[in-house]
PDB file of all heavy atoms in Angstrom:
ATOM      1  N   ARG A  76     -17.416  70.987 -25.857  1.00  0.00           N
ATOM      2  CA  ARG A  76     -18.791  71.475 -25.711  1.00  0.00           C
ATOM      3  C   ARG A  76     -19.726  70.973 -26.816  1.00  0.00           C
ATOM      4  O   ARG A  76     -20.684  71.646 -27.184  1.00  0.00           O
ATOM      5  CB  ARG A  76     -18.817  73.006 -25.653  1.00  0.00           C
ATOM      6  CG  ARG A  76     -18.065  73.565 -24.461  1.00  0.00           C
ATOM      7  CD  ARG A  76     -18.277  75.057 -24.328  1.00  0.00           C
ATOM      8  NE  ARG A  76     -17.559  75.577 -23.171  1.00  0.00           N
ATOM      9  CZ  ARG A  76     -17.982  75.516 -21.909  1.00  0.00           C
ATOM     10  NH1 ARG A  76     -19.137  74.942 -21.652  1.00  0.00           N
ATOM     11  NH2 ARG A  76     -17.264  76.019 -20.926  1.00  0.00           N
ATOM     12  N   GLU A 138     -15.505  29.800 -57.148  1.00  0.00           N
ATOM     13  CA  GLU A 138     -14.727  30.472 -58.180  1.00  0.00           C
ATOM     14  C   GLU A 138     -13.395  29.755 -58.376  1.00  0.00           C
ATOM     15  O   GLU A 138     -12.829  29.201 -57.426  1.00  0.00           O
ATOM     16  CB  GLU A 138     -14.484  31.932 -57.808  1.00  0.00           C
ATOM     17  CG  GLU A 138     -15.769  32.739 -57.725  1.00  0.00           C
ATOM     18  CD  GLU A 138     -15.546  34.175 -57.253  1.00  0.00           C
ATOM     19  OE1 GLU A 138     -14.411  34.472 -56.817  1.00  0.00           O
ATOM     20  OE2 GLU A 138     -16.481  34.973 -57.314  1.00  0.00           O
ATOM     21  N   LEU A 260       7.333   7.968 -42.063  1.00  0.00           N
ATOM     22  CA  LEU A 260       7.382   6.773 -42.905  1.00  0.00           C
ATOM     23  C   LEU A 260       8.795   6.210 -43.002  1.00  0.00           C
ATOM     24  O   LEU A 260       9.000   4.999 -42.920  1.00  0.00           O
ATOM     25  CB  LEU A 260       6.849   7.107 -44.304  1.00  0.00           C
ATOM     26  CG  LEU A 260       6.825   5.984 -45.331  1.00  0.00           C
ATOM     27  CD1 LEU A 260       5.971   4.826 -44.837  1.00  0.00           C
ATOM     28  CD2 LEU A 260       6.291   6.495 -46.660  1.00  0.00           C
ATOM     29  N   ALA A 334      -1.902   8.201 -18.017  1.00  0.00           N
ATOM     30  CA  ALA A 334      -2.044   6.795 -17.648  1.00  0.00           C
ATOM     31  C   ALA A 334      -1.206   5.966 -18.616  1.00  0.00           C
ATOM     32  O   ALA A 334      -1.271   6.172 -19.826  1.00  0.00           O
ATOM     33  CB  ALA A 334      -3.504   6.371 -17.707  1.00  0.00           C
ATOM     34  N   ALA A 393     -20.459  -4.125 -16.648  1.00  0.00           N
ATOM     35  CA  ALA A 393     -19.285  -4.495 -15.855  1.00  0.00           C
ATOM     36  C   ALA A 393     -18.762  -3.298 -15.063  1.00  0.00           C
ATOM     37  O   ALA A 393     -18.320  -3.441 -13.914  1.00  0.00           O
ATOM     38  CB  ALA A 393     -18.198  -5.037 -16.773  1.00  0.00           C
ATOM     39  N   VAL A 483      -2.828  17.975 -33.504  1.00  0.00           N
ATOM     40  CA  VAL A 483      -1.894  17.819 -32.380  1.00  0.00           C
ATOM     41  C   VAL A 483      -0.784  16.827 -32.745  1.00  0.00           C
ATOM     42  O   VAL A 483       0.378  16.996 -32.344  1.00  0.00           O
ATOM     43  CB  VAL A 483      -2.636  17.368 -31.100  1.00  0.00           C
ATOM     44  CG1 VAL A 483      -3.264  15.993 -31.247  1.00  0.00           C
ATOM     45  CG2 VAL A 483      -1.693  17.371 -29.904  1.00  0.00           C
ATOM     46  N   SER A 670     -41.409   6.678 -42.114  1.00  0.00           N
ATOM     47  CA  SER A 670     -41.252   7.159 -43.486  1.00  0.00           C
ATOM     48  C   SER A 670     -40.538   6.079 -44.290  1.00  0.00           C
ATOM     49  O   SER A 670     -39.351   5.831 -44.065  1.00  0.00           O
ATOM     50  CB  SER A 670     -40.446   8.458 -43.516  1.00  0.00           C
ATOM     51  OG  SER A 670     -40.049   8.771 -44.837  1.00  0.00           O
TER      52      SER A 670
END
Side-chain angles (χ1 to χ4, degrees):
R76 298 188 179 279
E138 296 176 350
L260 180 59
V483 64
S670 167

